[in-house]
Amino acid sequence: MASLRSTRASTAVMRLKDRSNNLPYSLVNTADGRFYLVLTNAAGDNDKLNEPLELDAFVAFVNSIGKQAPKKASKLDIAFEAKLRNKL
């Protein structure tokens, strides 16, 4: 179960790196199962960006940083949404 938790957290950090042009963000997992985010500065030191958080709170925190990627939508999704708007 712990590996699934860290996979979800590390995936959130990887998405953050992609959104931020690969800034050196890292995930730290504490002994009590909480997570926090660090950013390596130019001097090579790690700046702690938050207090240790539970998984859901950590993922929400990471997702709140930076510009979000636009959601992908197929032509069918767009047409369906347009049809719904026209009915209202």
Side-chain angles (χ1 to χ4, degrees):
M1 181 71 174
S3 64
L4 291 175
R5 291 173 48 85
S6 61
T7 299
R8 184 168 166 221
S10 63
T11 301
V13 174
M14 293 304 293
R15 287 192 309 265
L16 174 60
K17 285 182 178 184
D18 290 341
R19 290 193 312 265
S20 66
N21 295 323
N22 289 320
L23 287 177
Y25 288 105
S26 296
L27 162 73
V28 178
N29 189 357
T30 63
D32 63 355
R34 295 182 182 186
F35 303 92
Y36 65 91
L37 188 66
V38 295
L39 178 62
T40 305
N41 60 26
D45 298 326
N46 290 330
D47 297 327
K48 188 175 177 182
L49 301 179
N50 64 299
E51 292 303 314
L53 300 169
E54 294 295 327
L55 177 64
D56 292 333
F58 177 77
V59 171
F61 171 74
V62 171
N63 288 340
S64 71
I65 298 174
K67 182 180 174 185
Q68 296 297 310
K71 292 184 178 181
K72 294 181 182 179
S74 69
K75 291 179 184 179
L76 293 174
D77 292 332
I78 294 168
F80 180 69
E81 287 177 8
K83 197 176 233 185
L84 285 176
R85 280 191 299 270
N86 290 338
K87 283 194 173 199
L88 297 176

